[in-house]
Amino acid sequence: MINNYKFLVKNALKERKVKLNKFSSWDPMLLHDGKRWLLYVLTTNEIINQDNFFTQDNYIHGFASENLNSWNSWNNLNQILKRQNMNERVCAGSLIKENGIIYFFYSYTKEITKEILDQKILLATSVDGLNFKFVPEFSLLPDEIIYATNCKDPETGKMVFAWRDPYIFKDPKSDKYFLFICAGGDRWGIPPQVPVAVADSVAGTYKLLPSATKLEVNINNKLHIPFKEIERVQVIYYQDKYYMFFHCWKCYVSQEFITLCENMGYQVTNSTIYVLYSEDIIGPYKIDLQRPIVIGSERTRLYGTFFIPSSESKEEYFVTGWYHGKFKIEVSKKFRLLFKEGNWQVLHNYRYIMTFNYFMYTVTNFVNIYCKKIFQKFKNKFNKIN
């Protein structure tokens, strides 16, 4: 078993939740290398909470599994990638395997001040998923005109950027490689957007294109951008359309958009997954106001979700993620993503939920009855003494 970790086993589904004893983790990133599943997570050994986890010293920890059920350390697979300098933090990314080589696109944040952050995309490669080598030749910097921010380094006067959470996608139609990046956001003084870069080979060179997203929507006859940030984008090609999924903390979602969703019967929480669609891989990805969210995602309690293909159906994906506030990773068959009745939906395995709830109901009743009997026994003895 993995050192310093324990797995909470739910027998109903042989589910595994990764829970750290000494550490906390978030933002799972998964890859099947042809033989086994590789799981990488952002991890810290600092004392953290929901407000400060993003500012703590961290690194990328790794696991391996052949079946998504039982995980092991795979020869002490732990600190895969870590920060290079004291004022840097590792951010999420994604992986792809091509010609026997694993390419790990990830990001890091340089803390200039507590409020001013500068982010960059990095690349590391590996042949075994354990030993990664940084690729210094890789470079994908933001265009200072197209992706200009309102944030500068107070000492150098240079512009700083939001430029994180890269998602690598091989287009099944063109066989080209597209790298989607989370950019902009409230902290940088501009609306969020998702730049996209294209290359003929996975290693690059990548050509940066204009933003792939067009987030403006008409609400009450006013053009409106509903989100102040976008995180953990992922693209799925399905039935001749491209769908882009992402997260946004509820506090960064406009009240107008929340009201619109609620009026249609959709609930907005920190776990809600939003979906954009496009006819073309490079966009523009737009919001469909009739189908703005993944139905059922709001009840998972997960954030930073990452979809992996289901072994049971080509039409489904398993939904992985992390429980915000608890910093536990969910990798199981508990949640499934599929396109149903014109909408993307997350289906909850009610068999598991009902089984677990019935188990808890039975245990609770047993404890209550047992405690009442013990209490009554002591009460009778006390009455006899008096």
Side-chain angles (χ1 to χ4, degrees):
M1 296 298 289
I2 298 173
N3 187 32
N4 291 326
Y5 287 69
K6 69 178 180 180
F7 291 83
L8 304 181
V9 181
K10 306 294 186 183
N11 290 328
L13 279 178
K14 295 183 179 179
E15 172 197 15
R16 296 297 187 272
K17 288 182 184 177
V18 182
K19 182 177 179 179
L20 301 133
N21 288 340
K22 292 179 61 178
F23 310 129
S24 296
S25 63
W26 62 98
D27 284 351
M29 299 156 275
L30 290 99
L31 172 73
H32 195 275
D33 72 350
K35 296 181 179 179
R36 63 196 128 197
W37 282 100
L38 305 179
L39 166 65
Y40 304 93
V41 297
L42 297 182
T43 302
T44 181
N45 55 3
E46 303 288 336
I47 298 175
I48 62 173
N49 55 48
Q50 195 63 37
D51 297 323
N52 72 359
F53 76 97
F54 186 70
T55 65
Q56 303 303 306
D57 172 26
N58 68 353
Y59 55 91
I60 293 179
H61 198 103
F63 308 85
S65 171
E66 295 183 356
N67 53 21
L68 288 180
N69 288 331
S70 57
W71 296 83
N72 57 56
S73 62
W74 189 25
N75 193 25
N76 294 320
L77 177 63
N78 42 42
Q79 288 200 27
I80 302 301
L81 296 166
K82 54 186 177 182
R83 64 181 185 172
Q84 298 174 339
N85 299 305
M86 288 297 293
N87 62 340
E88 293 178 359
R89 296 186 298 278
V90 184
C91 298
S94 61
L95 305 96
I96 189 171
K97 186 175 182 179
E98 294 286 284
N99 300 319
I101 300 175
I102 297 173
Y103 294 83
F104 198 155
F105 295 88
Y106 65 107
S107 47
Y108 82 88
T109 294
K110 180 180 179 181
E111 184 179 284
I112 297 172
T113 70
K114 289 293 183 183
E115 298 300 324
I116 301 177
L117 306 177
D118 195 18
Q119 299 175 331
K120 289 185 179 180
I121 305 298
L122 303 175
L123 172 62
T125 61
S126 173
V127 294
D128 59 7
L130 170 61
N131 302 290
F132 279 87
K133 294 182 179 180
F134 173 66
V135 181
E137 301 83 17
F138 175 81
S139 177
L140 184 57
L141 301 175
D143 185 298
E144 294 193 8
I145 297 177
I146 300 177
Y147 300 111
T149 70
N150 292 321
C151 198
K152 293 184 177 181
D153 186 323
E155 292 187 6
T156 65
K158 291 184 178 180
M159 191 179 298
V160 298
F161 297 89
W163 204 249
R164 69 180 183 279
D165 296 356
Y167 181 73
I168 183 67
F169 179 80
K170 186 176 183 180
D171 182 25
K173 293 176 68 175
S174 67
D175 274 342
K176 292 186 177 182
Y177 299 86
F178 292 84
L179 198 59
F180 296 88
I181 302 162
C182 294
D186 196 47
R187 183 189 290 268
W188 289 267
I190 58 171
Q193 51 190 324
V194 180
V196 60
V198 60
D200 292 324
S201 66
V202 64
T205 304
Y206 281 85
K207 179 183 177 182
L208 187 62
L209 305 176
S211 176
T213 51
K214 187 176 181 181
L215 297 175
E216 282 189 331
V217 292
N218 191 320
I219 300 179
N220 298 326
N221 296 319
K222 292 182 180 179
L223 287 179
H224 181 73
I225 297 179
F227 310 104
K228 292 185 178 181
E229 76 172 9
I230 286 177
E231 296 191 296
R232 297 303 307 274
V233 297
Q234 188 167 353
V235 173
I236 289 177
Y237 179 66
Y238 183 74
Q239 294 184 350
D240 296 325
K241 284 188 179 181
Y242 297 90
Y243 295 89
M244 179 183 291
F245 304 87
F246 65 91
H247 272 284
C248 179
W249 296 108
K250 185 178 179 180
C251 61
Y252 292 130
V253 182
S254 72
Q255 186 57 52
E256 293 87 347
F257 187 72
I258 292 175
T259 300
L260 181 144
C261 289
E262 290 176 345
N263 289 340
M264 293 189 293
Y266 301 137
Q267 186 180 2
V268 174
T269 69
N270 283 331
S271 296
T272 300
I273 303 172
Y274 303 93
V275 58
L276 312 175
Y277 73 95
S278 174
E279 303 288 341
D280 196 319
I281 179 64
I282 62 173
Y285 290 83
K286 300 178 181 179
I287 301 171
D288 182 348
L289 288 181
Q290 300 303 313
R291 304 170 181 84
I293 73 166
V294 176
I295 297 173
S297 61
E298 73 282 357
R299 294 183 288 111
T300 65
R301 296 182 291 118
L302 298 177
Y303 192 81
T305 52
F306 192 91
F307 309 134
I308 58 176
S310 167
S311 57
E312 301 171 359
S313 170
K314 293 182 179 180
E315 299 290 310
E316 295 182 355
Y317 296 81
F318 295 137
V319 181
T320 71
W322 62 282
Y323 290 97
H324 48 85
K326 296 182 178 180
F327 299 96
K328 292 190 298 184
I329 302 297
E330 175 75 41
V331 181
S332 73
K333 300 178 182 179
K334 184 176 180 180
F335 305 112
R336 294 178 295 131
L337 174 77
L338 72 160
F339 194 80
K340 185 178 180 181
E341 299 175 355
N343 291 281
W344 285 100
Q345 302 184 31
V346 170
L347 298 186
H348 300 231
N349 195 313
Y350 288 104
R351 178 184 173 189
Y352 160 76
I353 295 172
M354 291 174 66
T355 301
F356 182 69
N357 285 347
Y358 179 75
F359 170 75
M360 292 303 296
Y361 172 79
T362 304
V363 170
T364 302
N365 277 348
F366 173 78
V367 171
N368 286 339
I369 293 171
Y370 183 75
C371 288
K372 285 180 180 178
K373 288 183 176 180
I374 294 296
F375 176 77
Q376 189 63 43
K377 185 176 180 180
F378 278 102
K379 184 178 179 182
N380 293 338
K381 285 186 177 181
F382 180 79
N383 290 335
K384 287 181 180 179
I385 293 173
N386 291 322

